Amino acid sequence: MRPLTEAETRAVFEKLGKYIGENIQLLVDRPDGTYCFRLHRDRVYYLSEKLLKLAASVPRDSLVAPGTCFGKFTKSQKFRLSVTALDFLAPYAKYKVWVKPGSEQSFLYGNHVLKSGLGRITENTAQYQGVVVYSMADVPLGFGVAAKSTQECRKVDPLAIVVFHQADVGEYVRNEDTLT
């Protein structure tokens, strides 16, 4: 387990910035202590400094997951955000999309959000902006990328894609063997 390099930190913060903007600072300097990001086996973990000191005494081979996995680096060194980061992204999300109850299951099976399933969308959402997807009961379901801006969503066909699927809580069941 080691600290992130400059390039890795930039890649992680750029990806997080797509979803929570300047609120990244709130992830690091929290009222309950200081938190940090660490790399272990190509995965980026988010953990408190107290837990970091305790994890330092565990041998590297025995250490499975020192904190919450925020994502992983691919072989081409691109950072891919994981659904396990949803609990930390949702409270700080700048742009949100709410899906209708009939479309929740479709999204949780890994499909994109269509205009017909769109309940609400945050005002002034730009195209290709990172969004957190909620149910109409304000339960975070996952996150994705806005395929259309808020203005375009008002005019498009009901079968047009408005949010590209990135990750959802259904992955806990579908990919339980690979999530750490």
Side-chain angles (χ1 to χ4, degrees):
M1 186 169 56
R2 65 169 175 80
L4 301 174
T5 64
E6 181 86 23
E8 291 167 342
T9 304
R10 189 177 314 108
V12 170
F13 283 3
E14 282 176 4
K15 184 66 83 163
L16 288 175
K18 273 183 83 171
Y19 295 95
I20 61 176
E22 311 84 40
N23 293 335
I24 296 173
Q25 187 64 31
L26 298 173
L27 282 177
V28 179
D29 295 328
R30 291 177 29 175
D32 58 337
T34 305
Y35 283 69
C36 58
F37 293 96
R38 290 291 185 258
L39 186 75
H40 181 65
R41 297 183 184 157
D42 289 332
R43 293 192 180 344
V44 176
Y45 292 94
Y46 176 70
L47 64 156
S48 68
E49 298 230 334
K50 282 191 234 177
L51 189 58
L52 177 64
K53 290 177 185 171
L54 292 172
S57 63
V58 177
R60 224 179 246 163
D61 296 340
S62 302
L63 192 62
V64 176
T68 303
C69 181
F70 257 51
K72 70 177 199 169
F73 281 99
T74 61
K75 299 234 186 254
S76 61
Q77 292 305 306
K78 294 192 184 203
F79 182 68
R80 180 155 300 162
L81 205 55
S82 175
V83 69
T84 52
L86 181 63
D87 292 336
F88 297 97
L89 293 179
Y92 303 119
K94 290 175 63 177
Y95 300 102
K96 302 174 184 179
V97 169
W98 289 266
V99 294
K100 293 178 181 173
S103 295
E104 284 180 28
Q105 189 171 12
S106 175
F107 181 74
L108 293 177
Y109 281 146
N111 298 319
H112 303 306
V113 177
L114 303 177
K115 167 69 162 87
S116 61
L118 182 67
R120 294 187 321 218
I121 186 168
T122 307
E123 211 43 54
N124 298 326
T125 302
Q127 189 175 17
Y128 306 123
Q129 176 66 50
V131 294
V132 175
V133 179
Y134 285 87
S135 69
M136 291 304 277
D138 282 336
V139 176
L141 300 176
F143 50 87
V145 176
K148 308 274 186 217
S149 67
T150 305
Q151 300 301 325
E152 291 172 340
C153 285
R154 294 184 179 135
K155 302 179 231 176
V156 297
D157 170 50
L159 295 178
I161 296 173
V162 292
V163 176
F164 295 122
H165 177 272
Q166 295 285 313
D168 64 83
V169 293
E171 288 182 27
Y172 286 119
V173 176
R174 292 193 311 267
N175 301 333
E176 67 182 302
D177 54 337
T178 59
L179 290 175
T180 55

